[in-house]
Amino acid sequence: MELKRVVVTGLGALSPIGNDVETTWNNVRRGVSGAGPITHFDASLFKTQFACEVKDFKPEEHFDRKKARTLDLYAMYGMVAADEAIKDARLDDETNDKNRIGVIFAAGIGGLHTFEEEAGYYAVNHDKGPKYNPFFIPKMIADIAAGHISIDHGFRGPNFATVSACASSNHAIIDAFNYIRLGMADAIVAGGAEAAVYPAGVGGFNSMKALSTRNDDPEGASRPFSGSRDGFVIGEGAAAIVLEELEHAKARGAKIYAEVAGCGLSADAYHITATHPDGLGARLGMENALKDAGMKPEDIDYINLHGTSTPVGDIGEAKAIKEVFGEHAYKMNLSSTKSMTGHLLGAAGALEAVLSVKAMNDSLVPPTINHEEGDEDPEVDYKLNFTFNEPQEREMNAVMSNTFGFGGHNATIIFKKYQD
């Protein structure tokens, strides 16, 4: 069968550097860090005492009191970002067949705060017998953001969540892409949300030695590909994109940001948390994406890197890029926007997809901030253009976005400029 073309018609974001797409993108352009001392809980006894939190988010501005009581913060974030993307795409228009509009929305963890509160309450009061909030399960489960978005907008197409750690929301976008190009939906709201900046999240990652402990310099802590990097900075928030079948989008006069060119999936089959040291799975994912898109390596102008600022992960990704792209690797721009947003875990891929599309539309490569002269890693090839510290103007016809998750899950997406 002939596969249908799929385009991006709506964008939404709620991030540590902006509560909508434009604010987030403007701060990315300026190289603004979203890191600061943790405010969600007292982190004074934790090895890591900072994070990239969403700022000035007031649930009462988006939900009535009764509704808010039924929602974990992660779901709130996801619903707000999805609402922005849906409004941007004009997808709520009653002329659209809502039976053919779906929601595929990811979370790497889900309602961690709700789980921690409920489990903690029972642990303290176990002698009084079980007593749980009736909303405990529906607040906590990782698919509930997708369910709420569907219910709020009456979208009755494919509806579920993807969970693959830090690759979760790239997998959501890829699933949406595949359902639409197979003709199983006209449009799908895809993305991810996460709110894990709580004791269990920070403490759990601390125990793995995965987080930066640069408490004296939070804004400078996320420093992908620099020699002094010491772990990722945990972030929170959500992002959403509306994917739509091309002819459906054209028929209703939708604005088109980009076309989804292809996707690549792979597994490291190596370790439960560490990426393959030679980037084997990352290489396979990028190669599969190029093959699916019918593109050559030299067609890619920019890669939004997974680039978490971990000692092993950054090296493996850089090695994989050199293997896949050969000499062209030195002609592309590379950057990690996690240096500004922190690592949004299950929402990372969706936010980076939004930023990749914005970069291509504005012909501006976002920077990898916090690199200092002399702070080199002997295992990193600095002939690669990591776009350190300052954005770079560049015409881009195709961009790639990488995500890799615990468990060895790899998901790569390619967006290209739309041409009729």
Side-chain angles (χ1 to χ4, degrees), residues 7-11 87-90 244 249 252-258:
V7 294
V8 177
T9 58
L11 303 173
K87 183 178 180 180
D88 186 34
R90 295 186 292 110
E244 190 167 352
R252 67 185 191 89
K255 63 182 172 188
I256 296 175
Y257 287 101

Side-chain angles (χ1 to χ4, degrees), residues 27 86 155 175 178 202 250 281 284 392:
N27 281 326
I86 291 164
F155 297 154
D175 275 3
N178 284 329
V202 175
K250 288 168 64 176
L284 288 171
Q392 184 176 326

Side-chain angles (χ1 to χ4, degrees), residues 359-377:
M360 186 167 60
N361 276 261
D362 283 12
S363 301
L364 190 78
V365 178
T368 303
I369 67 169
N370 294 326
H371 182 69
E372 299 169 0
E373 189 175 347
D375 187 13
E376 277 77 42
D377 181 334

Side-chain angles (χ1 to χ4, degrees), residues 225-248:
F225 303 96
S226 289
S228 61
R229 66 192 185 281
D230 68 330
F232 72 83
V233 177
I234 190 170
E236 63 172 2
I241 69 174
V242 173
L243 300 187
E244 190 167 352
E245 192 272 322
L246 173 60
E247 296 305 321
H248 185 270

Side-chain angles (χ1 to χ4, degrees), residues 118-417:
E118 292 293 317
Y121 177 85
Y122 180 65
V124 172
N125 298 282
H126 66 278
D127 57 326
K128 299 178 181 178
K131 185 178 181 181
Y132 288 93
N133 188 314
F135 292 106
F136 169 38
I137 300 300
K139 285 176 70 175
M140 177 268 297
I141 51 180
D143 69 298
I144 205 65
H148 278 296
I149 296 163
S150 169
I151 292 165
D152 285 353
H153 296 276
F155 297 154
R156 292 178 290 272
N159 181 246
F160 58 92
T162 53
V163 179
S164 51
C166 305
S168 297
S169 50
N170 255 16
H171 276 121
I173 296 168
I174 288 168
D175 275 3
F177 172 50
N178 284 329
Y179 275 105
I180 296 169
R181 65 175 171 171
L182 288 170
M184 299 174 70
D186 293 332
I188 295 178
V189 182
E194 206 78 91
V197 185
Y198 288 103
V202 175
F205 283 119
N206 264 160
S207 69
M208 295 168 56
K209 299 182 179 179
L211 296 182
S212 170
T213 56
R214 194 182 284 257
N215 293 313
D216 58 343
D217 181 25
E219 292 185 359
S222 183
R223 45 183 57 224
F225 303 96
S226 289
S228 61
R229 66 192 185 281
D230 68 330
F232 72 83
V233 177
I234 190 170
E236 63 172 2
I241 69 174
V242 173
L243 300 187
E244 190 167 352
E245 192 272 322
L246 173 60
E247 296 305 321
H248 185 270
K250 288 168 64 176
R252 67 185 191 89
K255 63 182 172 188
I256 296 175
Y257 287 101
E259 182 171 357
V260 186
C263 62
L265 307 172
S266 71
D268 281 357
Y270 172 72
H271 190 273
I272 58 172
T273 57
T275 57
H276 194 284
D278 294 322
L280 176 59
R283 175 173 64 79
L284 288 171
M286 289 186 280
E287 288 176 344
N288 291 339
L290 289 168
K291 182 178 179 180
D292 185 47
M295 288 182 168
K296 299 175 183 178
E298 52 267 31
D299 293 328
I300 304 298
D301 300 301
Y302 164 61
I303 302 178
N304 189 306
L305 302 163
H306 184 60
T308 58
S309 190
T310 57
V312 176
D314 288 4
I315 293 170
E317 186 173 13
K319 287 180 178 178
I321 288 168
K322 288 172 66 175
E323 287 193 26
V324 173
F325 291 91
E327 285 303 310
H328 184 66
Y330 300 98
K331 300 175 183 176
M332 298 186 296
N333 276 81
L334 315 172
S335 75
S336 172
T337 50
K338 288 185 180 73
S339 60
M340 295 167 280
T341 66
H343 190 354
L344 271 63
L345 309 177
L351 181 58
E352 287 151 22
V354 169
L355 297 177
S356 296
V357 169
K358 290 293 290 182
M360 186 167 60
N361 276 261
D362 283 12
S363 301
L364 190 78
V365 178
T368 303
I369 67 169
N370 294 326
H371 182 69
E372 299 169 0
E373 189 175 347
D375 187 13
E376 277 77 42
D377 181 334
E379 294 193 62
V380 174
D381 184 351
Y382 291 99
K383 293 179 182 177
L384 297 169
N385 184 0
F386 292 106
T387 323
F388 283 131
N389 297 325
E390 297 292 336
Q392 184 176 326
E393 292 183 4
R394 176 171 183 155
E395 191 70 24
M396 289 172 270
N397 293 308
V399 299
M400 177 181 278
S401 182
N402 286 336
T403 55
F404 316 133
F406 284 178
H409 316 301
N410 307 301
T412 293
I413 303 173
I414 299 174
F415 298 97
K416 65 181 181 181
K417 280 191 174 177

